[in-house]
Amino acid sequence: MNLTPIVNKTNSQVSVFWKSLRRNPMGLVGLAMLIAILAVAVFAPLIAPVHTAEITSKDIYNAPNSTHWLGTDDAGNDVLANFILGSRVSLIVGFFAAFISIVIGGLIGIIAGFYGGRVENTLMRITDIMLVIPDLPLMVVIIALTKPSLFNIIFVIGIFGWTTTARVVRSQTLAVKSRKFVLRARAIGAGNMHIIRHHILPLVLPILVVQAVLTVSSAILNESTLSFLGLGDPTAPSWGQMLNFAFSRGAMSTGAWWALVVPGFGIVWVVLGLTLFGQGLEQVLNPRLDTHHLMPGRPVVQSETAQLPSSEKILLDVRNLSINYINDDKAPARAVENVSFTLKEGELIGLVGESGCGKTTLMLALLRLLPAAGQIVNGKVFFNGKDLTALNEDEINAVRWKEISIVFQGAMNALNPVRTVGDQIAEAIIKHMPGFPHDLRLQERVVELLELVGIAADHKDHYPHQYSGGMRQRAMIAMALACNPQVIIADEPTTALDVMIQAQILELLDSLRKKLGLAIIFVTHDLGVVAEMCDHVLVMYGGVTAEYADVDTIYNEARHPYTQELLKAFPDLTKPKKKLSSIPGYPPRLDALPAGCRFAPRCPRVYARCHTEQPILYKLSDNHIASCHLLEASK
Amino acid sequence: MSKDHFLEIRGLKKYFDADRPSLRFASREMRHVHAVDGVDLSLQHSEVIALVGESGCGKSTLALLLMGLEESTAGTISFEGRDITHLKEHERKGLRRKIQMVFQDPYESLNPTQNIEEIINEPLLVHGIGKNKQDRDQRVKKALEDSGLKPADVYLQRFPHELSGGQRQRVVIAAALVLEPEILLADEPVSMLDVSIRAEIINLLAELRITRKIAVIFITHDLGSVGFFADRVAVMYLGRIVEIGTMLEVLEKPQHPYTKALLSVIPVPNPRLRRERIILQGETPNPIDVPTGCRFHPRCPVAMWTCKASDPPFTTLSKTHQAACLLLVK
Amino acid sequence: MTPPLQHGTFPLQRWRMLLKRFGWALFTILFVVVLNFFLFRVLPGDPARQGIRDPRLTPETIQAIRVRFGLDKPIINCFESLNPVKVGSCGVNPLDTQFFIYVKNLLKGDLGQSFYYNRPVKDILGERLWNTILLIGAGQILAILIGVVFGLFAAWKARTAIDYAALISGLVAWSLPTFWLAIILLFWGTNHGLPIGGKATPGMSSYPFMQQMGDLLQHLFLPTLAYTIIYMGEYMLIMRSSLLDVLAEDYILAAKAKGLSAFQILKDHALKNSMLPLVTLIAINLGFTVGGAVQIETVFSWPGLGGAIFEAVGRKDYPLLQGGFLLIAISVILANFIADLTYSYLDPRVQAD
């Protein structure tokens, strides 16, 4: 195996790791605490104060003073000196016992997770038994029946401390094993050992490291507990033993708090240091989103005032809406810029763009559902003449679902797994129709809604996991219809569904629109899907409007190069032999937008100006706008 | 066996146990998921065959059977005249060089801790290919560039998370190409990608069959995407092939009602061309309780009463075109 | 391949699962019984030899005791003794071995005679079991309640001062050695007029009931406080992180889009879901929490099972130690079984197996 790239790799990974650890105060504090106590333990014989004076009965339980900085204990010994020397015992037991636990737990976890079947069953049953058996009483029994020596203590703590590690490692191994790259490695012809070494271990290792840190801390706690219970090695006094002596030999009654506080402080210091470091490591190695949907949103900012909507027939009027994602470290990402469109009653508008072009952000902003980092930085959303961007939380809550509802992309994730589907539909009705009777009528209404979307009544009390993918999407639609809204936002409702189910859902939405007079905003990345049912199409690219026109114009007289290229990339069934044309390159990242036109790097008709200047929106006809410098002349 | 047919599948079946053995004390017979239920298919040198069907039709299981990643229940697979149905792993190793696979999800099929060079070098190491490091480096670079990642040096030291979906899928393809396979199984290679990216991956696969003479089995649920480069199209339903023919035969003169329905619902980016769509109701039945007779009859818009009773045989419509429907039996 | 849908088989699956879990609990108990027997015979501190090592005993008395405790019989079938391993004649009636006598006695509820108290172990432990259940019960309930509420607030107000304060205090509480916290609390309590230990003030039994209860609460206060602080931290941390995960889920966004208020979302959509990992943790933790009880009972001289074990170690009272361990283990296994069932009740996705 050639070593160079691996060294490079670890270097880069280590440096990335360091960078994120540096920004993790918890991990850093923990690390500093550990380094401090390790230094104390290593240099213990050098720094521990030495008192050669003979000990007399007057030296017992002396309060802290200038000779004995932390006082003396029941035998007249210096507490500070014992504390420093005791750190060695605690740390040695902690590290060696944890080593035993990690080796056993890691092996069991990986073997069980990787090989599965009987092996896994047996190993995990053993682990379960070990978990259920109370470990401290068992350790007490075993050490009481053997000789309390340092070796025995390490061994006993180590042999009982692996269960958590085994469980964690097993579930991580299972998760890694089920990932496609392991299947791909098998397809390449790699054997089990190769797969474990190159694909399982590297991904299990981070978790094993975190687990090791936490195991050390619990081993140290266990050691101190056993010592406190009088089961420590008498030749190697640890902090636990100091506490044992102090507690059982009158420190309480003499009020010698120093003899009790100091050793305990040592244990807390090490364990807290390890815990903080472990948590910090965990956060660095396994970063999670630190935002959630209940965090307060950012206030709406308006930089210009727009006039009130003119036409009466317009239901939803989005004007110059701009949305940024605020990032503490970097400049804000301009996710949506200056997008306008209108929606009339009963109209179906298609919002088309590649993933990451800001479509979902735009839709969430309409109902002010942006994640915590998202902020409306300009623009208005008029709904029936009312500006949604100016409403407070209670006012917008009254609009949500009652007037405008959403069919989310992944119905599996948008349905609460522990509540029945019927219950979740009823919830919306209860919320928005306070007069609605909470009895049989409500249940009838739920059944009626389910039947409207083609789900039989007996599925009402089933949970989402008992539904198939297509049924979940239907249930999501039924839920969206629950309060008779005027507008439905369908956010990629058919992505990830099979073609036939996709066709069923599209047909359902179209028929509901006609039957109930709904206005629908249909978000999709697939131009083909919307062609057959939309009235208008808004094509977005990199957060801006590329082109906006009625459906016929978009498909037959597109003026923006992006729309044109996108249409060419489509397989045309009427000309099956035709080679597909593709758009080279990839959509821009919102945090690294090009300076000029956002499509310039991929555009086949790009010229110098495109790289420096962002095109404005050109109005080509009453119903057709596009943003491309090429259109300036044709205006 | 004709010499041309270098991959031959005969009567291939794969049943999974539907009940866990531990739950059988309520005693009834073990039920099976009929994932692949009798498939015949042959593939010629540098031929592209598209395997089309909805999820649950068994197309992905078929791919895993061909790769030897699942053990078949019955039937045979032979490659270059040699029966490869039940090979031991060590016997299969040489074969793996010749049959490679590209998976659906490019985000999941690359190990995030390996860089691109390691990923593409790995198959070489596993098979002990290449005289020395230099030789292997050259092979790695060639595979990358053949997959459209040029210049290769730019990508070697990068990690998968630094690449876009389309680039990742190219890396997966490169890792398969580096073994110089004769057959490439592509399991929904574009379904996770944006439309604008799909075309270039399909174009890449089409190029490979010309430049490298690779036969491709292209598995997809989207009949629309197979047009331009498939030689033949096989439509699967519930573990069986229901229609097979050349691309033009299937796309332009579909005979099986299921194929017709699938074709009719493909979105066409042209609003002036609003066609009559045949939307099948319900969903694919679960492959445990396979319907009697023609397995498509419960959803078939033109089903007759006889369809319930008899399983339709293949009707030969032309030298290359066959379909299994009672309406075609004269 | 996605698993096929199965409607209407839910109750049957529930029963099967119940049976299976119960069988499993029984098996674990059996394992503990066996372990408990052999542990005391394999490890060097053989209770038989320890208990009758008193030099004042004559050889005849020793033999009499051996016969009385059945120690003259082989351990099990072929083995005279396991430490040191001594193989005897294998023709022994298997039912006439120490192991089967032990099992037979267990089934009769006979845990042997305490060396120290010279009373049946069963009686001693019987009194003490309830004290431990009282302590652990009160402590667990408080720890869970406080942990859940604080964890909920911390996650809801993520990345605010409330969250950081909760996080830090949770981590600190998690790092405290149980016995040390107990000592510190005892130290503080004795200086503030709280009882120094035990379960009741001597002579209390002649007082009226209400006063007795008040006295009990006073004695229970500090041990429960120690227990609560120790386990609250972990529950809070788990609740916080699991709620953070839940609140980032799409179905929370969907609930928000439905116009539900933050309170309604927390109550109806987040709480139950985020409690699931907590229930698992509580089940897993039961074995550990008993360890905490041993320490707290020791420090506060609380007359519970944990304290009994500690005392038995000091007094080399092996029958009591053996019985105590067995009782604790069985209680934990049963409690774990109940927690398992609770989980399957809370999460509809849990199927048989």
Side-chain angles (χ1 to χ4, degrees), chain A residues 41-208:
Chain A
V42 168
F43 299 110
L46 298 177
I47 52 176
V50 181
H51 299 281
T52 44
E54 202 166 302
I55 296 169
T56 66
S57 60
K58 272 192 286 180
D59 292 323
I60 289 170
Y61 287 139
N62 277 354
N65 56 43
S66 54
T67 12
H68 301 288
W69 292 354
L70 293 176
T72 59
D73 64 9
D74 61 294
N77 290 321
D78 187 73
V79 170
L80 178 61
N82 278 353
F83 171 79
I84 290 173
L85 294 170
S87 66
R88 291 190 144 191
V89 180
S90 295
L91 288 175
I92 285 172
V93 173
F95 283 111
F96 284 103
F99 181 75
I100 296 177
S101 304
I102 288 296
V103 169
I104 300 177
L107 275 178
I108 288 187
I110 288 184
I111 292 173
F114 187 77
Y115 289 98
R118 282 237 166 93
V119 178
E120 179 181 22
N121 250 327
T122 316
L123 287 176
M124 290 333 282
R125 288 309 193 198
I126 295 173
T127 312
D128 281 349
I129 294 183
M130 290 291 288
L131 259 176
V132 177
I133 296 175
D135 61 340
L136 184 68
L138 188 57
M139 284 193 252
V140 168
V141 167
I142 290 178
I143 295 185
L145 292 175
T146 54
K147 212 173 72 198
S149 69
L150 205 57
F151 177 79
N152 280 355
I153 290 176
I154 290 177
F155 187 73
V156 169
I157 294 177
I159 221 91
F160 288 112
W162 54 266
T163 44
T164 322
T165 307
R167 284 173 63 103
V168 170
V169 169
R170 170 183 160 263
S171 63
Q172 174 74 1
T173 308
L174 276 179
V176 175
K177 191 182 106 182
S178 70
R179 290 178 68 175
K180 278 281 155 38
F181 60 79
V182 173
L183 190 63
R184 199 174 63 77
R186 278 197 199 290
I188 283 166
N192 284 345
M193 284 328 280
H194 179 97
I195 291 177
I196 290 182
R197 238 182 77 203
H198 294 270
H199 296 284
I200 305 282
L201 263 187
L203 280 108
V204 170
L205 210 56
I207 279 188
L208 202 59

Side-chain angles (χ1 to χ4, degrees), chain A residues 181-491:
Chain A
F181 60 79
V182 173
L183 190 63
R184 199 174 63 77
R186 278 197 199 290
I188 283 166
N192 284 345
M193 284 328 280
H194 179 97
I195 291 177
I196 290 182
R197 238 182 77 203
H198 294 270
H199 296 284
I200 305 282
L201 263 187
L203 280 108
V204 170
L205 210 56
I207 279 188
L208 202 59
V209 170
V210 172
Q211 204 53 44
V213 172
L214 298 176
T215 308
V216 172
S217 80
S218 67
I220 287 177
L221 274 178
N222 275 334
E223 184 279 332
S224 67
T225 308
L226 289 175
S227 297
F228 172 72
L229 294 175
L231 297 167
D233 184 345
T235 61
S238 68
W239 291 329
Q241 261 173 317
M242 289 171 72
L243 278 162
N244 176 28
F245 290 140
F247 183 68
S248 58
R249 297 184 188 166
M252 298 287 280
S253 47
T254 47
W257 54 266
W258 54 90
L260 294 169
V261 170
V262 173
F265 176 76
I267 301 169
V268 175
W269 179 276
V270 177
V271 175
L272 186 60
L274 284 164
T275 310
L276 288 175
F277 184 57
Q279 290 268 335
L281 272 184
E282 160 105 60
Q283 284 174 4
V284 170
L285 295 171
N286 187 12
R288 63 156 97 211
L289 291 174
D290 44 8
T291 65
H292 61 65
H293 296 306
L294 290 190
M295 287 169 94
R298 291 173 189 268
V300 177
V301 181
Q302 297 289 0
S303 56
E304 56 200 73
T305 48
Q307 58 279 63
L308 277 172
S310 46
S311 169
E312 281 292 301
K313 270 175 66 190
I314 290 176
L315 202 57
L316 190 68
D317 187 357
V318 177
R319 299 256 184 106
N320 305 337
L321 198 61
S322 297
I323 300 151
N324 283 359
Y325 280 111
I326 314 292
N327 190 324
D328 294 337
D329 307 338
K330 288 177 249 168
R334 293 173 294 157
V336 172
E337 215 165 56
N338 215 12
V339 173
S340 308
F341 66 92
T342 59
L343 184 71
K344 294 190 199 71
E345 272 177 42
E347 187 183 358
L348 198 153
I349 179 171
L351 181 57
V352 182
E354 286 167 282
S355 40
C357 79
K359 339 182 266 291
T360 299
T361 301
L362 177 61
M363 288 305 108
L364 292 180
L366 297 185
L367 280 177
R368 305 253 306 277
L369 290 168
L370 287 173
Q375 182 174 30
I376 297 175
V377 288
N378 189 32
K380 303 266 185 196
V381 179
F382 291 109
F383 175 73
N384 279 334
K386 183 165 54 180
D387 182 8
L388 298 185
T389 63
L391 300 184
N392 66 26
E393 193 65 19
D394 286 338
E395 290 164 338
I396 191 85
N397 265 346
V399 177
R400 289 173 181 163
W401 224 259
K402 177 87 189 75
E403 317 279 356
I404 304 174
S405 62
I406 306 183
V407 175
F408 286 94
Q409 177 170 8
M412 183 66 207
N413 299 330
L415 291 167
N416 190 333
V418 304
R419 295 180 60 180
T420 64
V421 172
D423 184 30
Q424 295 184 58
I425 296 175
E427 178 185 51
I429 302 173
I430 295 169
K431 170 76 190 178
H432 290 289
M433 301 175 157
F436 207 93
H438 278 202
D439 51 14
L440 227 56
R441 282 271 311 283
L442 182 63
Q443 297 310 315
E444 279 168 21
R445 170 71 179 149
V446 171
V447 168
E448 186 187 309
L449 284 163
L450 284 175
E451 280 169 352
L452 190 63
V453 298
I455 296 178
D458 57 340
H459 290 300
K460 176 171 74 80
D461 294 326
H462 285 160
Y463 291 92
H465 73 274
Q466 294 169 294
Y467 277 41
S468 68
M471 274 167 77
R472 278 180 216 129
Q473 203 52 270
R474 287 167 187 271
M476 197 69 224
I477 294 172
M479 199 187 300
L481 295 173
C483 305
N484 303 319
Q486 289 175 278
V487 179
I488 286 188
I489 299 171
D491 188 4

Side-chain angles (χ1 to χ4, degrees), chain C residues 252-275:
Chain C
I252 298 296
L253 181 62
K256 198 174 164 186
K258 275 186 188 172
L260 301 180
S261 67
F263 178 74
Q264 282 170 320
I265 294 175
L266 282 174
K267 178 169 74 70
D268 297 336
H269 287 275
L271 194 60
K272 195 171 163 190
N273 309 46
S274 54
M275 288 286 280

Side-chain angles (χ1 to χ4, degrees), chain A residues 469-531:
Chain A
M471 274 167 77
R472 278 180 216 129
Q473 203 52 270
R474 287 167 187 271
M476 197 69 224
I477 294 172
M479 199 187 300
L481 295 173
C483 305
N484 303 319
Q486 289 175 278
V487 179
I488 286 188
I489 299 171
D491 188 4
E492 307 230 17
T494 60
T495 311
L497 294 178
D498 265 326
V499 269
M500 192 56 70
I501 310 294
Q502 177 172 318
Q504 289 174 0
I505 299 286
L506 291 177
E507 187 194 49
L508 173 68
L509 277 173
D510 208 32
S511 73
L512 287 173
R513 168 167 81 120
K514 285 169 188 144
K515 204 186 308 182
L516 307 173
L518 289 168
I520 298 179
I521 306 177
F522 194 99
V523 183
T524 177
H525 70 277
D526 191 341
L527 258 178
V529 167
V530 286

Side-chain angles (χ1 to χ4, degrees), chain B residues 22-325:
Chain B
S22 62
L23 291 178
R24 280 178 65 204
F25 55 82
S27 129
R28 57 165 179 253
E29 229 176 288
M30 171 74 84
R31 299 180 307 164
H32 296 287
V33 175
H34 303 238
V36 173
D37 203 5
V39 165
D40 297 322
L41 190 68
S42 61
L43 185 72
Q44 300 175 15
H45 276 288
S46 69
E47 184 189 25
V48 176
I49 205 163
L51 214 52
V52 185
E54 292 174 274
S55 51
C57 75
K59 55 193 196 302
S60 294
T61 309
L62 184 60
L64 295 179
L65 288 173
L66 290 177
M67 289 303 296
L69 294 170
E70 290 283 1
E71 193 76 10
S72 63
T73 313
T76 58
I77 307 168
S78 60
F79 177 68
E80 292 176 333
R82 173 175 165 226
D83 186 343
I84 59 162
T85 324
H86 302 284
L87 289 185
K88 300 242 161 53
E89 189 52 43
H90 65 92
E91 297 167 317
R92 194 175 285 280
K93 199 162 177 179
L95 198 65
R96 293 226 183 273
R97 283 190 63 174
K98 301 194 171 169
I99 309 179
Q100 272 297 307
M101 184 162 177
V102 173
F103 294 88
Q104 176 174 16
D105 185 351
Y107 296 88
E108 270 293 300
S109 49
L110 296 175
N111 182 340
T113 63
Q114 292 183 316
N115 66 25
I116 307 307
E117 180 174 7
E118 286 171 290
I119 290 169
I120 299 173
N121 203 23
E122 184 178 14
L124 298 179
L125 292 175
V126 166
H127 287 274
I129 299 171
K131 293 184 280 288
N132 47 34
K133 186 174 165 353
Q134 242 178 352
D135 184 26
R136 281 195 300 270
D137 278 355
Q138 266 180 358
R139 287 169 189 262
V140 168
K141 282 185 192 167
K142 178 153 191 321
L144 266 178
E145 300 199 339
D146 282 0
S147 312
L149 294 174
K150 287 181 242 188
D153 291 317
V154 177
Y155 296 96
L156 287 177
Q157 298 305 318
R158 293 212 198 160
F159 285 90
H161 69 264
E162 297 169 292
L163 305 182
S164 68
Q167 287 172 323
R168 287 178 199 216
Q169 198 57 289
R170 288 171 185 273
V171 171
V172 175
I173 292 172
L177 284 187
V178 78
L179 289 174
E180 294 169 358
E182 293 172 23
I183 300 177
L184 192 63
L185 288 164
D187 186 4
E188 305 249 14
V190 297
S191 68
M192 303 286 285
L193 302 175
D194 267 318
V195 173
S196 71
I197 314 293
R198 285 182 187 177
E200 57 179 72
I201 297 291
I202 293 180
N203 287 341
L204 169 65
L205 290 173
E207 250 167 59
L208 288 175
R209 68 84 71 91
I210 293 162
T211 56
R212 291 207 176 204
K213 303 266 179 261
I214 297 177
V216 180
I217 298 181
F218 184 82
I219 296 169
T220 178
H221 69 270
D222 180 11
L223 250 179
S225 64
V226 305
F228 151 65
F229 86 117
D231 297 312
R232 288 195 294 151
V233 176
V235 179
M236 278 186 83
Y237 187 78
L238 265 185
R240 290 253 179 104
I241 291 177
V242 294
E243 179 159 8
I244 184 165
T246 63
M247 184 265 290
L248 286 178
E249 281 167 343
V250 174
L251 292 192
E252 290 178 350
K253 286 177 285 180
Q255 294 301 312
H256 197 281
Y258 181 61
T259 316
K260 288 180 188 165
L262 274 187
L263 264 173
S264 78
V265 297
I266 295 168
V268 176
N270 188 348
R272 289 179 187 168
L273 216 125
R274 303 209 179 202
R275 301 154 304 151
E276 192 53 45
R277 300 199 294 181
I278 310 164
I279 295 179
L280 302 176
Q281 293 311 308
E283 298 176 21
T284 318
N286 83 46
I288 295 177
D289 308 310
V290 177
T292 56
C294 171
R295 43 191 69 200
F296 182 57
H297 85 260
R299 297 174 77 199
C300 184
V302 292
M304 313 172 292
W305 64 271
T306 43
C307 296
K308 218 173 196 164
S310 55
D311 200 356
F314 265 121
T315 306
T316 304
L317 302 157
S318 80
K319 220 171 92 190
T320 46
H321 194 181
Q322 292 173 303
C325 177

